[in-house]
Amino acid sequence: MTETSLRQDLQNLPRTDAALDRLVEEIIGRVADKWTMLLIEILTEQECCRFGELSRACTGISQKMLTQTLRAMERDGLVTRTVYPVVPPKVEYRLTDLGLGLSKAFCGVWIWAEANFEKIEKARSDYAAKATVQDPS
Amino acid sequence: MTETSLRQDLQNLPRTDAALDRLVEEIIGRVADKWTMLLIEILTEQECCRFGELSRACTGISQKMLTQTLRAMERDGLVTRTVYPVVPPKVEYRLTDLGLGLSKAFCGVWIWAEANFEKIEKARSDYAAKATVQDPS
DNA sequence: CTCCATACTCTCTTTTTGGTAAGTATAAAT
DNA sequence: ATTTATACTTACCAAAAAGAGAGTATGGAG
């Protein structure tokens, strides 16, 4: 099923709980993405950024991914994109209130990750050790 | 760079802020995943589930993805996997404390998505309308 | 003897994702 | 006349993700 047909389904069907859940899940899937979250963090720290600034601040992202991610965020109403008709081009991005709300909501997950990364690392090495013992190829 | 070599780097290098950030980002990337989040929700609601129950509760997931996701969650210490040596096989999954913590942290994002899906839909239709006007192919 | 149930695993194929590199537009600076 | 700067877009290719479907192991029921 395409994204568009999914959205149409969701618009035309009676809004059952199940349909609503699907929509919410789709949004979670869209938003729970590494680059999206990193960009939200950057734009939370520095309110207003040009394309080049974001590119430098977001280590490892390619131009293509940066453009794609920013477009998707704009489409979903998380950022605004302001184009200044000058040469060379100048485009500014900033979070909307919606984007800021997501930033705050996701903050809990960052905190969790920062508070628990040692436990996760330990779980991983325990798991690896167990696998090695049971399967000594 | 492989996952393993990344982890080794992170273990051997002095824990600079940047290295820590990378680790936290990797965890966010791992964990901010549709199926992982859905399974955490299911296991939050019903503490203890067998493979087949999860498969039925998690609409649309394939066996392969379910196995993969559960293994990754087990590896990261989010769930426990208990195998009963009976025929036919019986395996039970439940959240660890770590998994429960993530469940709580991510809860904010679910709430945000449920509270704001209408705004997001509106943003999307506005964006689509704008694109149609500017580019009437 | 055959079938069933369960929780996988394996193989094959398709789809999606993401990277690289080149191209575009244009005014100002050299 | 050539270069520079910026924010892209496009085309092409490789890698990764994900789905479909068959296979596996085994004790008990019929």
Side-chain angles (χ1 to χ4, degrees):
Chain A
M1 158 137 37
T2 65
E3 224 182 290
T4 306
S5 71
L6 173 60
R7 227 177 315 135
Q8 284 177 347
D9 278 3
L10 291 168
Q11 276 166 4
N12 297 335
L13 259 53
R15 283 280 162 100
T16 61
D17 284 357
L20 224 164
D21 284 354
R22 269 170 68 197
L23 175 56
V24 170
E25 283 165 23
E26 188 264 343
I27 291 170
I28 297 275
R30 213 2 302 297
V31 127
D33 159 78
K34 180 187 172 186
W35 297 129
T36 303
M37 284 305 147
L38 284 175
L39 289 172
I40 283 185
E41 264 249 277
I42 293 165
L43 285 165
T44 301
E45 276 162 25
Q46 187 180 344
E47 210 180 339
C48 178
C49 289
R50 297 183 62 178
F51 186 87
E53 292 177 294
L54 291 172
S55 181
R56 267 166 264 128
C58 199
T59 319
I61 199 169
S62 66
Q63 274 199 335
K64 183 180 165 180
M65 277 308 294
L66 181 54
T67 308
Q68 266 182 29
T69 307
L70 286 170
R71 282 300 138 75
M73 291 171 78
E74 193 196 352
R75 187 174 93 86
D76 290 342
L78 303 176
V79 297
T80 57
R81 177 169 177 270
T82 313
V83 180
Y84 297 92
V86 295
V87 167
K90 178 177 175 183
V91 180
E92 281 179 357
Y93 295 89
R94 58 180 79 210
L95 287 182
T96 61
D97 287 347
L98 193 59
L100 212 57
L102 176 57
S103 172
K104 281 175 190 156
F106 203 79
C107 191
V109 185
W110 285 102
I111 291 169
W112 174 86
E114 278 160 17
N116 292 285
F117 72 92
E118 281 170 343
K119 286 183 193 166
I120 294 168
E121 283 197 308
K122 178 160 188 320
R124 286 179 180 178
S125 61
D126 287 357
Y127 187 86
K130 209 175 59 178
T132 307
V133 169
Q134 285 181 357
D135 170 28
S137 56
Chain B
M1 161 140 32
T2 65
E3 223 182 290
T4 306
S5 71
L6 172 61
R7 227 175 316 135
Q8 285 176 348
D9 278 4
L10 291 167
Q11 276 167 4
N12 297 335
L13 259 52
R15 282 280 162 100
T16 62
D17 283 358
L20 224 164
D21 285 354
R22 268 170 70 196
L23 176 56
V24 169
E25 283 166 23
E26 188 264 343
I27 290 169
I28 297 275
R30 208 10 297 296
V31 128
D33 158 78
K34 182 186 170 186
W35 296 128
T36 303
M37 284 304 148
L38 284 175
L39 289 172
I40 283 185
E41 264 248 278
I42 293 164
L43 286 165
T44 302
E45 276 161 27
Q46 187 180 345
E47 211 181 336
C48 178
C49 289
R50 297 183 60 177
F51 186 88
E53 291 178 294
L54 291 172
S55 181
R56 267 165 265 130
C58 198
T59 319
I61 199 170
S62 66
Q63 275 199 337
K64 182 181 166 180
M65 278 308 294
L66 181 53
T67 307
Q68 266 182 30
T69 308
L70 286 170
R71 283 298 139 78
M73 290 171 77
E74 193 196 352
R75 188 174 93 88
D76 290 343
L78 302 176
V79 296
T80 56
R81 177 169 177 270
T82 312
V83 182
Y84 296 90
V86 296
V87 168
K90 178 176 174 182
V91 179
E92 281 180 356
Y93 294 90
R94 57 181 79 211
L95 288 182
T96 61
D97 288 347
L98 192 60
L100 211 57
L102 175 58
S103 172
K104 281 175 190 157
F106 203 80
C107 189
V109 185
W110 283 101
I111 291 169
W112 174 87
E114 277 159 18
N116 291 286
F117 72 91
E118 281 169 344
K119 286 184 192 166
I120 294 169
E121 283 197 308
K122 180 163 186 321
R124 286 178 181 179
S125 59
D126 288 357
Y127 187 85
K130 210 175 59 178
T132 308
V133 169
Q134 286 182 358
D135 171 28
S137 54

